[in-house]
Amino acid sequence: MSQVVPAPDDRRAFLVVNGRTEQSWVDPTDPLRLEFEYVRRIAEVLEETVLARPPQERVRIIHVGGGGLTLPRYVEARRPRTAQVVLEPDEALIAQVRDRLPLPRHSGIRIRPVDGRAGTADLPSGCADTVIVDAFAGASVPPELGTMEFLAEARRLLRPDGLVVMNLTDAAPFGWARRCLAGFAASFGQAAVSAEVPVWKGRRFGNLVVAAGERVPVQALERRVARAVFPYRLLAGRELARWLGGAVPFTDADAEPSPSPAWSRGWFS
């Protein structure tokens, strides 16, 4: 069961935890503070795409998975009045977040108590500029969110220049992540994935952030990755295709949850 608790190292901040797994970190007084490195990578994709659009353009973002609403708060602070829909099935967690971490008035953030598959199926085609998938059951990505069928549903929601951004977790030899990423490669015109160098080298379990769509700003993301606090590497194009090898995408018929971490503490949402 997920709980909102005070952050042990910052009296202004809060964590969403599930057992020993840290799922979200939120500073309600400063929504632009992003503590988890993988969340910064997702924010960088947004900065190079929807958040860079002229202010008069109407932007809509769909979040599959809510946690403490770290990214919706970030978007609202960076681009007020952005329309955001959060699909979060844990109603007890939603109640805790509303009580302890209330959203600003007129934030434009709407929370729907529904899981990602059911929630996306109820949304109209072409309604979103970005779909962010950062959803976990405990420490694993639910199996139904890693399949070709779900990616087809996410793609249906996108406007022509939209992107899907997803947080995956795995460890070398990346059997689960390769299959999930093979689905992205088969479903979208372009895909890129970033992770910390120790994760790529198999030294530890960690997060892989995927961005996929008809056009992904690969060079801009590479420049941002190069400035990351921890060493990161981004794969795209032929390099990503070589890494995927002959990986076969998941379907609903053979879906699996992502592996649970072999360590006790991590950044998962």
Side-chain angles (χ1 to χ4, degrees):
M1 180 177 178
S2 296
Q3 299 284 334
V4 178
V5 300
D9 54 353
D10 190 327
R11 62 183 179 83
R12 297 175 300 175
F14 292 82
L15 291 166
V16 175
V17 298
N18 187 298
R20 295 184 177 180
T21 301
E22 297 179 357
Q23 297 183 314
S24 294
W25 188 97
V26 181
D27 180 352
T29 68
D30 184 2
L32 298 180
R33 286 184 65 192
L34 302 177
E35 184 74 5
F36 295 171
E37 279 287 312
Y38 89 85
V39 177
R40 295 176 186 172
R41 301 291 83 77
I42 296 175
E44 288 169 354
V45 177
L46 300 179
E47 292 288 354
E48 294 294 342
T49 54
V50 291
L51 297 182
R53 293 184 183 177
Q56 66 271 21
E57 286 191 20
R58 182 67 166 165
V59 168
R60 175 175 287 171
I61 299 176
I62 308 299
H63 301 263
V64 178
L69 308 179
T70 304
L71 281 166
R73 296 171 198 271
Y74 179 91
V75 170
E76 196 277 334
R78 281 283 291 110
R79 191 184 175 102
R81 295 178 297 280
T82 296
Q84 300 187 80
V85 175
V86 180
L87 309 176
E88 172 53 66
D90 190 339
E91 295 189 56
L93 175 59
I94 293 171
Q96 290 183 65
V97 170
R98 291 189 188 276
D99 179 56
R100 305 198 67 177
L101 304 168
L103 292 166
R105 290 175 59 86
H106 311 298
S107 68
I109 300 169
R110 299 290 179 265
I111 305 171
R112 298 185 182 181
V114 64
D115 67 74
R117 287 295 290 266
T120 53
D122 284 342
L123 293 169
S125 299
C127 69
D129 298 282
T130 306
V131 176
I132 300 172
V133 186
D134 190 13
F136 283 72
S140 295
V141 179
E144 68 273 13
L145 299 184
T147 68
M148 289 288 289
E149 290 86 349
F150 173 70
L151 293 178
E153 195 68 16
R155 183 173 182 173
R156 179 186 66 81
L157 301 182
L158 294 180
R159 293 168 180 160
D161 56 350
L163 290 179
V164 174
V165 187
M166 186 168 181
N167 174 36
L168 314 179
T169 54
D170 203 352
F174 302 107
W176 188 89
R178 288 179 197 268
R179 292 194 65 182
C180 188
L181 278 157
F184 277 95
S187 301
F188 297 91
Q190 193 173 13
V193 57
S194 65
E196 290 185 61
V197 170
V199 175
W200 286 126
K201 291 185 175 181
R203 295 174 184 167
R204 66 172 179 81
F205 190 95
N207 302 81
L208 298 91
V209 173
V210 187
E214 292 309 303
R215 291 181 300 277
V216 178
V218 173
Q219 292 183 335
L221 295 178
E222 287 175 336
R223 289 192 292 270
R224 286 183 175 267
V225 161
R227 300 194 298 268
V229 173
F230 299 103
Y232 263 76
R233 181 185 177 200
L234 184 141
L235 299 184
R238 293 180 181 178
E239 194 175 19
L240 176 58
R242 285 194 298 269
W243 184 78
L244 291 175
V248 177
F250 287 114
T251 68
D252 284 347
D254 66 352
E256 300 174 4
S258 68
S260 295
W263 56 332
S264 62
R265 184 174 182 272
W267 295 335
F268 311 109
S269 185

